[in-house]
Amino acid sequence: MLMDKPQRGYWCECWTEDLTDGTGWPALRASFDAYSAPQADRWVAIALRTISPALDPDASQEAWEWLYDGRITTRKALLRAEPCTVTVTQASTRITWTIRPVIFLPLAHRQGGELPSCTQDFKPHAAPQAPHRPD
């Protein structure tokens, strides 16, 4: 998305954590920049619908409870600019989706500005030649 000024949106992440691992360090699995609350919660909904057939019955129930009831609560919280978390535990793995309101800043483009004059003085050096070996 091309931006020329700051824009409100949501930063979405998916983390997994092995609950049997002694380190307790979660691993980032995916991230997504959403520009509306519906787009942010839809990202989580699509992920949950995609993985739900592979989940055990308890985790599947957690997923579908959020899809039917929790999603409405999440959407309302996002519209109030509140961060949200959705968590499902499958066997010994905790999967957590986070959604945080953010302000996306536009990036500077090189084409739009001039480079400093000193860049014109730069002359690349020739690569050193390997010594010639007689056969």
Side-chain angles (χ1 to χ4, degrees):
M1 171 173 254
L2 183 61
M3 295 187 302
D4 60 350
K5 60 185 179 216
Q7 184 173 349
R8 293 185 183 277
Y10 302 89
W11 183 247
C12 310
E13 295 176 334
C14 178
W15 294 82
T16 60
E17 182 178 358
D18 182 348
L19 300 176
T20 61
D21 185 353
T23 65
W25 294 102
L28 179 64
R29 299 297 175 185
S31 60
F32 178 70
D33 51 326
Y35 292 89
S36 68
Q39 189 181 29
D41 76 61
R42 188 171 37 248
W43 184 70
V44 176
I46 290 169
L48 283 173
R49 283 191 188 110
T50 301
I51 68 170
S52 67
L55 298 174
D56 63 39
D58 290 340
S60 183
Q61 182 176 344
E62 285 179 79
W64 285 102
E65 283 176 2
W66 181 82
L67 286 164
Y68 285 123
D69 298 323
R71 188 173 180 188
I72 296 166
T73 305
T74 297
R75 175 84 57 94
K76 288 178 180 178
L78 292 175
L79 291 170
R80 291 188 306 265
E82 297 172 0
C84 297
T85 302
V86 179
T87 301
V88 172
T89 303
Q90 163 69 22
S92 62
T93 302
R94 180 182 299 136
I95 308 166
T96 303
W97 289 267
T98 60
I99 306 171
R100 294 187 310 269
V102 296
I103 296 177
F104 293 107
L105 300 176
L107 297 175
H109 294 284
R110 271 187 121 170
Q111 293 104 358
E114 284 192 33
L115 294 173
S117 60
C118 63
T119 61
Q120 303 303 319
D121 297 335
F122 176 74
K123 304 284 187 256
H125 296 297
Q129 298 280 331
H132 177 68
R133 296 174 137 177
D135 292 326

